[in-house]
């Protein structure tokens, strides 16, 4: 099923957006007052209530308990009888369990073959055949107890004339977190270690220092041994490993780490951007601060760009397992193998069990901001979210922060929380990100640049200093989804080649590193 045809935006009128002929609700483009009549192909609908822009209006009568259809899919059920022209939202919609036909691999089709030469971008050639889009030095804390030391080291270089002396080094970044000790090693320990190892090996990191305390669960020596961090490939910058207790305290550790970074700076600065094939890009896709327009404009347009990256041999990865819930069957049906599809379903089942442990449910969503923007149920939100996956076959499913090795469209099991989700994707190796937003998320994501796409023109105009691309032109009728998708693709290549994103220009990205903390604190 196509969420939205990439060639055009289906319209019943200038006031309503109807996404599928089976839909019995439509999205209003702007706030419409009670008594307004809107034209449909088969007549008029008069609004019996004022409907806020981006929200839904009933097109047909729906009996109490009846299915509400958007995108040609069930998004919820009527709590009471709903008449044409009524505002459809949380006051008259409820969720019920819905059976899904996973139809593994039934709709799997290849994208059109690439014609001509593969596109390129200007990136940093890294050992192991990877390519970086940025050139940072990382100061990574193994445990919260070493977070301040990592921050002091990064702050030292923030206040120095780093750019004047080493212009090709994008910065020294501290990666700090609240974990690393006092929790069950059978739960979150391995996840945190994958995140740290992923950041250490990240293609956008030209060199790094790993700092621990010395008595924590997440020991630096065990990290080094388990992930072979001391085994260097040809041309790779030698890291430094420090612990506060063995070095002699905070001041001495900061001084040692500063000296280690100073030693790295000349060789990291010597790195040169060269032409790299697009196949060396690994894109992280995320949506946050979503509204009802996300699944109509920005996400489908990002899906077009994602498909083009896949055609070029790149990897395009999305996550947020809790925000594909209710739409996962659209992905299993295009999995390349049954095993891939079943792995995705297994992650859904894990989440159902995990949330039940805390008396919650996986469908305890959307957020207040999502609801203000017109999203009523998690099914509706998920159907819009999967639009950013385009039409490519689903090639692989990864656990949180696992190294992304496959090319093509991939999925990573992450929470819906934006910093935690993006941290997993970036730790898995994503070297550039695209973040769609309808309400105005201002997310940044060092060491990977993050392009932000506005779903609607009013928000873009209001927050233009933070938004890189306006996909609201689709709703305005001045561009097609395919045209905006091409602009996103071109922007990805430009940013991968060194063009700064709005979040980078604003200095965002130092505080968004947030590994997923699983398990009890002991």
């Amino acid at each position: 099923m196509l969420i939205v045809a990439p060639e055009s935006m289906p319209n019943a009128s200038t006031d309503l957006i109807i996404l599928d002929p089976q839909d019995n609700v439509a999205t209003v483009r702007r706030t419409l007052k009670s008594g307004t009549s809107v034209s449909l192909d088969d007549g008029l609908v008069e609004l019996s209530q004022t409907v806020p822009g981006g929200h839904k209006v009933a097109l047909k009568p729906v009996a109490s308990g009846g299915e509400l259809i958007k995108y040609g899919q069930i998004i919820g059920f009527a709590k009471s009888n709903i008449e044409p022209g009524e505002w459809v939202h949380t006051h008259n919609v409820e969720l019920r369990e819905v059976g899904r036909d996973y139809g593994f691999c039934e709709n799997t089709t290849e994208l059109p073959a690439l014609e001509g030469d593969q596109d390129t971008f200007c990136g940093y050639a890294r050992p192991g055949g990877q390519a970086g889009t940025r050139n940072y030095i990382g100061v990574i804390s193994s445990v919260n107890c070493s977070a301040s030391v990592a921050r002091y080291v990064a702050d030292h270089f923030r206040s120095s004339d780093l750019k004047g002396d080493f212009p090709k080094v994008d910065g020294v970044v501290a990666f700090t977190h609240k974990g690393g000790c006092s929790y069950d090693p059978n739960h979150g320990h391995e996840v945190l270690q994958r995140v740290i190892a992923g950041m250490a090996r990240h293609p956008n990191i030209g060199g790094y220092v790993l700092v621990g305390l010395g008595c924590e669960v997440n020991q630096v020596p065990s990290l080094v041994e388990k992930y072979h961090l001391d085994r260097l490939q040809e041309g790779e910058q030698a890291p430094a490993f420090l612990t506060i207790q063995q070095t002699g305290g905070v001041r001495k550790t900061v001084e040692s780490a500063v000296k280690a970074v100073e030693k790295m700076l000349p060789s990291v600065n010597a790195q040169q951007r060269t032409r790299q094939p697009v196949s060396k890009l690994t894109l992280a896709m995320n949506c946050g601060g979503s509204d009802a327009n996300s699944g109509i404009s920005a996400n489908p347009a990002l899906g077009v760009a994602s498909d083009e990256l896949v055609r070029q041999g790149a990897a395009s990865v999305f996550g947020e397992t809790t925000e594909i819930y209710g739409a996962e069957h659209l992905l299993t049906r295009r999995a390349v193998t049954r095993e891939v599809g079943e792995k995705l379903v297994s992650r859904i089942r894990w989440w159902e069990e995990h949330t039940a442990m805390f008396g919650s449910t996986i469908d305890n969503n959307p957020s207040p901001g999502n609801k203000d923007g017109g999203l009523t149920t998690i099914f509706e939100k998920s159907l819009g979210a999967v639009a950013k996956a385009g039409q490519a076959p689903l090639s692989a499913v990864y656990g949180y922060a696992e190294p992304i090795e496959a090319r093509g469209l991939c999925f990573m099991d992450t929470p819906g929380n934006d910093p935690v989700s993006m941290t997993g994707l970036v730790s898995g190796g994503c070297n550039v990100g695209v973040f769609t937003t309808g309400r105005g998320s201002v997310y940044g994501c060092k060491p990977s640049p993050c392009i932000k796409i506005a779903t609607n023109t009013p928000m873009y105009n209001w927050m233009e200093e933070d938004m890189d691309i306006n996909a609201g032109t689709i709703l305005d009728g001045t561009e097609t989804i395919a045209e905006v998708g091409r602009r996103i693709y071109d922007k990805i290549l430009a940013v991968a080649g060194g063009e700064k994103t709005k979040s980078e220009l604003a200095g965002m990205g130092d505080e968004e590193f947030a590994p997923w903390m699983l398990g009890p604190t002991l």
Side-chain angles (χ1 to χ4, degrees):
M1 185 200 78
L2 295 179
I3 294 296
V4 178
E7 294 81 10
S8 62
M9 168 63 60
N11 292 302
S13 71
T14 57
D15 295 316
L16 301 182
I17 299 171
I18 301 173
L19 299 172
D20 190 279
Q22 300 179 62
D23 291 356
N24 56 17
V25 298
T27 301
V28 301
R29 293 178 181 273
R30 56 186 175 84
T31 299
L32 298 179
K33 293 182 178 180
S34 176
T36 301
S37 293
V38 292
S39 60
L40 303 175
D41 292 339
D42 55 356
L44 295 175
V45 170
E46 182 177 317
L47 272 60
S48 57
Q49 300 164 282
T50 296
V51 180
H55 286 240
K56 295 175 291 300
V57 62
L59 301 175
K60 302 171 184 177
V62 182
S64 178
E67 298 173 350
L68 294 161
I69 308 296
K70 181 180 176 182
Y71 300 104
Q73 302 285 320
I74 298 171
I75 63 166
F77 298 85
K79 287 182 181 178
S80 57
N81 293 336
I82 298 176
E83 298 299 325
E86 281 191 44
W87 178 27
V88 177
H89 200 36
T90 53
H91 59 283
N92 56 4
V93 179
E94 63 184 0
L95 272 183
R96 297 178 184 174
E97 187 173 343
V98 177
R100 301 178 188 90
D101 178 8
Y102 288 127
F104 297 106
C105 311
E106 287 185 5
N107 297 339
T108 304
T109 56
E110 294 295 329
L111 295 174
L114 181 67
E115 297 180 1
D117 296 333
Q118 189 182 84
D119 290 337
T120 62
F121 70 100
C122 282
Y124 297 97
R126 300 295 196 201
Q130 297 188 94
T133 65
R134 294 296 182 266
N135 195 30
Y136 283 100
I137 291 177
V139 186
I140 308 170
S141 59
S142 69
V143 64
N144 175 247
C145 308
S146 60
S148 292
V149 166
R151 179 66 59 206
Y152 297 155
V153 175
D155 288 347
H156 171 86
F157 291 97
R158 190 182 310 220
S159 60
S160 67
D161 188 21
L162 182 67
K163 280 299 180 186
D165 296 331
F166 304 100
K168 293 176 183 175
V169 178
D170 286 300
V172 178
V173 184
F175 296 103
T176 66
H177 52 88
K178 303 302 181 185
C181 198
S182 301
Y183 58 75
D184 184 348
N186 295 319
H187 290 84
H189 185 62
E190 183 177 351
V191 169
L192 178 61
Q193 287 195 324
R194 282 205 304 263
V195 169
I196 291 173
M199 296 309 298
R201 293 188 300 237
H202 198 279
N204 289 358
I205 297 292
Y208 71 94
V209 179
L210 179 59
V211 185
L213 176 62
C215 59
E216 64 271 21
V217 172
N218 192 32
Q219 289 280 304
V220 168
S222 65
L223 261 170
V224 173
E225 180 180 6
K226 182 176 180 178
Y227 290 95
H228 310 302
L229 299 181
D230 55 347
R231 298 183 188 176
L232 303 182
Q233 300 184 63
E234 184 177 353
E236 193 171 4
Q237 173 67 50
F241 307 118
L242 299 170
T243 58
I244 296 169
Q245 292 168 352
Q246 290 182 341
T247 307
V250 168
R251 179 184 61 80
K252 292 179 181 179
T253 308
V254 171
E255 290 176 352
S256 296
V258 166
K259 289 179 180 178
V261 172
E262 289 174 341
K263 186 177 179 181
M264 295 176 188
L265 280 168
S267 59
V268 175
N269 187 65
Q271 293 289 316
Q272 301 285 337
R273 286 187 181 270
T274 57
R275 302 309 303 184
Q276 301 291 325
V278 169
S279 59
K280 292 191 178 183
L281 288 179
T282 301
L283 176 70
M285 300 187 290
N286 212 86
C287 49
S290 300
D291 66 356
N293 297 315
S294 297
I296 299 171
S297 60
N299 286 349
L302 176 53
V304 171
S306 173
D307 283 347
E308 184 57 29
L309 284 168
V310 170
R311 284 188 349 114
Q312 296 278 342
S316 184
V317 194
F318 67 114
E320 301 180 287
T321 314
T322 54
E323 296 181 11
I324 65 163
Y325 186 63
E328 72 272 14
H329 60 293
L330 302 179
L331 299 169
T332 60
R333 299 179 74 86
R334 52 197 262 212
V336 293
T337 66
R338 185 182 183 92
E339 180 183 16
V340 169
E342 288 179 339
K343 188 173 182 180
L344 181 65
V345 175
S346 74
R347 302 320 303 156
I348 294 287
R349 298 293 173 258
W350 181 91
W351 273 98
E352 290 174 336
E353 296 172 3
H354 178 67
T355 52
M357 291 171 56
F358 303 95
S360 184
T361 60
I362 191 174
D363 60 4
N364 190 16
N365 208 333
S367 70
N370 297 153
K371 292 176 182 177
D372 286 346
L375 292 172
T376 302
T377 69
I378 186 58
F379 291 172
E380 180 184 12
K381 186 177 183 181
S382 295
L383 288 163
V386 300
K388 62 182 178 285
Q391 305 301 317
L394 181 64
S395 297
V397 174
Y398 289 101
Y400 187 83
E402 285 185 343
I404 300 159
E405 298 173 346
R407 301 289 88 185
L409 178 68
C410 305
F411 181 84
M412 178 178 285
D413 180 26
T414 77
N417 180 276
D418 297 329
V420 179
S421 177
M422 285 293 285
T423 295
L425 291 166
V426 172
S427 297
C430 293
N431 50 11
V432 64
V434 173
F435 193 110
T436 64
T437 181
R439 304 291 291 173
S441 290
V442 294
Y443 187 78
C445 190
K446 293 178 181 177
S448 294
C450 187
I451 300 162
K452 286 195 289 309
I453 304 176
T455 72
N456 61 89
T457 298
M459 189 274 284
Y460 175 82
N461 290 338
W462 182 248
M463 299 183 66
E464 190 171 355
E465 293 179 353
D466 301 291
M467 300 294 123
D468 296 282
I469 290 177
N470 178 24
T473 53
I474 296 167
L475 302 173
D476 301 337
T478 59
E479 282 187 295
T480 66
I481 290 172
E483 288 169 340
V484 176
R486 186 67 205 189
R487 281 203 291 125
I488 295 171
Y489 174 77
D490 291 341
K491 188 73 168 181
I492 291 169
L493 268 56
V495 167
E499 180 182 299
K500 297 295 185 184
T501 65
K502 294 289 183 69
S503 64
E504 289 179 300
L505 293 172
M508 301 284 290
D510 287 276
E511 306 300 330
E512 286 76 7
F513 180 71
W516 189 9
M517 295 300 173
L518 278 168
T521 299
L522 304 178

